[in-house]
Amino acid sequence: MRDYPDVSIIPFNGKTPLIHPSAFIAPGCRIIGDVEIGEDASIWYNCVIRADVNRIRIGARSNVQDGSVIHCDSPGDGISRPTEGWPTIIGEDVLIGHMAMVHGCTLQDRSFVGLGAIVMDGCTIESDGMLAAGALLSPGKTLPHRQLWAGRPAKYMRDLSDDALVQLRGGADRYVHYAKAHRGAVKDALD
């Protein structure tokens, strides 16, 4: 696809990924199935976003950084797993660091997932919550608003300061800018 060089956008089970025209999708990405990517979002080099068994939503200005994997969980029996399963819902202005794994969970607006971190089925990271680099948020956990959790398994470390929140919120704006610059560089490389 000319607009998305070296990107696989693959329909699955009758669902085709929907990508806002302003979103940046870097070369090497694989986007499959029931995926929606919002305005000014950015999906960086070599990410996999696979919505083959449930849906994935990525909100405006959110970014999924290089090498990350986003998946969802299939519908269950209503006893051990919810009947509807666990979709992956990523709000607006969310930062997901390089090589993160995000699976069947909810990341509310302005949440942060650090480099190499893992968020598992049924988890929620509330708005302005931060999961540190390398951390593992085990199934069903909720990381509350304005908290930093770290470790494997992740545990509460401290509340985030106002200054920390200002820095995190600036990250989403920076990535919108970076995406525009990379879109130009990719286009120039093809011309």
Side-chain angles (χ1 to χ4, degrees), residues 126-147:
E126 292 183 353
S127 62
D128 298 312
M130 180 178 189
L131 183 64
L136 167 69
L137 194 60
S138 52
K141 298 287 187 197
T142 295
L143 190 162
H145 171 72
R146 291 189 71 145
Q147 289 188 3

Side-chain angles (χ1 to χ4, degrees), residues 32-38 43 48-59 62-64 68-75 82 84-92 94 96 100-109 111 113 118-125:
I32 299 110
D34 191 1
V35 176
E36 291 182 16
I37 299 172
I43 311 301
V48 174
I49 301 174
R50 180 166 55 98
D52 54 346
V53 296
N54 213 318
R55 69 192 184 283
I56 296 172
R57 303 294 182 259
I58 300 172
S62 291
N63 64 81
V64 180
S68 293
V69 175
I70 311 284
H71 194 228
C72 43
D73 191 56
S74 60
E84 68 278 3
W86 281 293
T88 296
I89 309 298
I90 298 168
E92 296 183 355
V94 173
I96 299 174
M101 284 193 273
V102 176
H103 197 277
C105 59
T106 298
L107 307 179
Q108 293 180 356
D109 295 349
S111 58
V113 175
I118 299 171
V119 186
M120 297 182 72
D121 294 340
C123 289
T124 298
I125 299 180

